[in-house]
Amino acid sequence: SYRHLPRDTEVAQQVQKAIETYHLPRGVVAEQPDDEGDSTARPIRSKTSRSLGKCFRDEDELAASPSLPDSIQKALAQSRSLIVVCTPETQESAWVQREIETFIALHGRERIICVLAAGSSEESTPPILKTRMMPDAAGIMREMPAEPLAADLRPESKNKRKAELLRIIAAVANCNYDDLRRRHRNRKRRLITAAAFAILALIALISVLVHQTARSSEEALIAESKYLAARSQEQLARGERLQAIQSALDALPSSEADRSRPLVPEAQEALENALLVYPDPDQTWRPLYAIDSDSDIVSFAHDVDGDWFATLNDSGLIEFRSLSKGALTATAHLGDYAEHPEELTPSEWSLEATGDRHLLLMSQQANGSMVCFDALTGTLVWEHEQVCADSFASAQDEDTFGLTTFMGDGNLDVAVIDAATSNVRECQSLDLGFDSVPEVSLPSWFASKSNQIFLGIPGGVLGFDLNAETCTAYKLNPLKSITYSVREFGGILFCASASLPEEGSGGTVPYGFTAWNTHEHSEPLWHDEGSYTFSVAGTSSNLIGFNGTPNLPCFVFSDGNLAIVCTAGAILSVRDPLSGDEIYREELPASIVAASEAYLTENSDCLLLVLNDGTLALRFLELSPTMNGNANELHIPYQIDKAAVGMRSNGEAIALIHAANQPERMLAYRFDIVSDDQKTEFTLDELLEQACSTLADSY
């Protein structure tokens, strides 16, 4: 019973909720006196129930009526207790007064509980509850002062209010408050203990699950690291060293202190291999990088000292890169320099390096163009239109080059040009007496010290002395031979040639190596003939043929004396330049794409070789072919159609390779000499730092 004011209503709701949600502790028995009167006066809660039952609270303000509504009458009759919310305004409510009177008439005063919500007990308790009829000393019934059972819900303290609500519950349950409070406290402790044990059990379960999850996660990371390490090794085997470094990094923690990923020995070994930090006597050829252009590469060139190289792909893109690291330094596009960009055919342009920093691009079409770039910066140095050259020869010791051009009227123009300025140093026009113009670029050699240009033509070599303004013809036998390579050194001219194979020869090609003394202009010093066969490489479904045309790739010193290297197909022949006697001869398993001298040790004369079946090899000339065997060889999974191999100015031997079966790819390999003092151990942090630095330098 309460006055329907906001404060009184709030207290009534709190009391109702406390009663209806409370469950008596085990062992507490609520006394339930028998009612001998009307059955409607009996409480509806069973004696065995631990709940206190429902609490009736009228939520509507009663209408102005002299009697209570039937619902109120019924609720009062079925209730064991009446709770009166007492405030100073309670005494003003006639309906609270009538509810109290009705309950007293039905059940007496003993089960009325006062709840003080505001004001003092004196001013808030209804007058009817302050007195009761009691016998005096003489046994006469008189109205005597009485103190009703009351709970104080005025305090703001949460704990105090809980205690007072428990007092109300004890009165409703008709049990001892102190006993209920003690048992309530014990139950709370048991609940806290049970909750604590439940939390501990949950923590234990979570710990087990976390451990299992962590273990599963760690096992997954270990498996992933092993997979990445294996992929790194596979990438390294394909020459993809930079990609192999990245895969190994992905398989490793970020530092020695990083515990987010386990350290897998296979991953660290993969990184060590990719970084090339430890010498391997069984693997002297080591990959540097593999780079891919946007489309097929049709031509490439590199400088004499081996600091840069440039590629031209079939879309016309020119890329300048560092030879030692593969880093892209600049780009240009051929279409910007072609006379008719819409008809651009990159395969009809050639790339040539001259000096230590200039790259020449020349069109082989009539009325073509010639363009010169600074290869270190990628900037244009000069450009000339309406220029077509039939041969190009760079000076070996200065930044000049020689050009020869057939004019179509029987004349041949010969010029020496400064690469840095495009200024013409020397120029002569000679009448050769024939009108035929070759359809392919001709081999040539520029001897800058003697100011001579040697041009290979069908049937021989033309020598142009620009100082004496003379032309000398050096004829081959047979005259139908095609000249493929020309070199001159110390007044001796060398030529490598081949004849067209006869019908039914099965691909066998006659070749010849010839030498002349340029001072005597006489018959050849020596001439040697032989034959070679075409070779193929690749899978049975993708065989790639390689002609292996005769070539004079380099000179080499053998026992302190100069010798010339001659190749034809798979034949390697090193000869005395004056007599033509063979110093070393070997027939290799595949055609020779490139060869170069290598001064790797003080007492050994050796050659670096690249074969078209993907073999990189080193040959010591003081050893016989059988003693060389397969030592210092590496077989890579590529067929090679173009390559350049040689010594950089810093003494590093590098092979630059174009893959025929992956034509958009260029690869670089380094030849390492293993010494006993190269055994420094590296920590993981040192390896990681070196890997990050290597990757950063490659971009």
Side-chain angles (χ1 to χ4, degrees), residues 298-314:
V298 297
S299 181
F300 74 90
H302 71 97
D303 73 321
V304 175
D305 292 331
D307 293 326
W308 58 265
F309 74 99
T311 60
L312 171 66
N313 67 21
D314 60 8

Side-chain angles (χ1 to χ4, degrees), residues 1-2 82-86 90 96 100 112-116 126 129:
S1 181
Y2 63 100
L82 173 65
I83 300 173
V84 181
V85 178
C86 300
T90 301
V96 173
I100 295 173
I112 296 178
I113 306 167
C114 291
V115 175
L116 186 59
L129 299 177

Side-chain angles (χ1 to χ4, degrees), residues 517-590:
N517 187 326
T518 60
H519 300 297
E520 298 179 0
H521 300 170
S522 58
E523 293 296 317
L525 285 175
W526 54 267
H527 175 76
D528 186 56
E529 297 179 355
S531 62
Y532 70 95
T533 57
F534 294 178
S535 65
V536 295
T539 62
S540 58
S541 60
N542 186 27
L543 290 175
I544 298 174
F546 188 80
N547 190 356
T549 53
N551 190 21
L552 304 169
C554 62
F555 294 99
V556 66
F557 282 93
S558 177
D559 293 330
N561 298 314
L562 185 70
I564 187 166
V565 178
C566 308
T567 65
I571 298 171
L572 171 64
S573 175
V574 181
R575 297 173 177 267
D576 182 288
L578 294 177
S579 64
D581 295 340
E582 281 191 329
I583 300 170
Y584 181 94
R585 181 183 178 88
E586 181 180 358
E587 187 154 354
L588 296 158

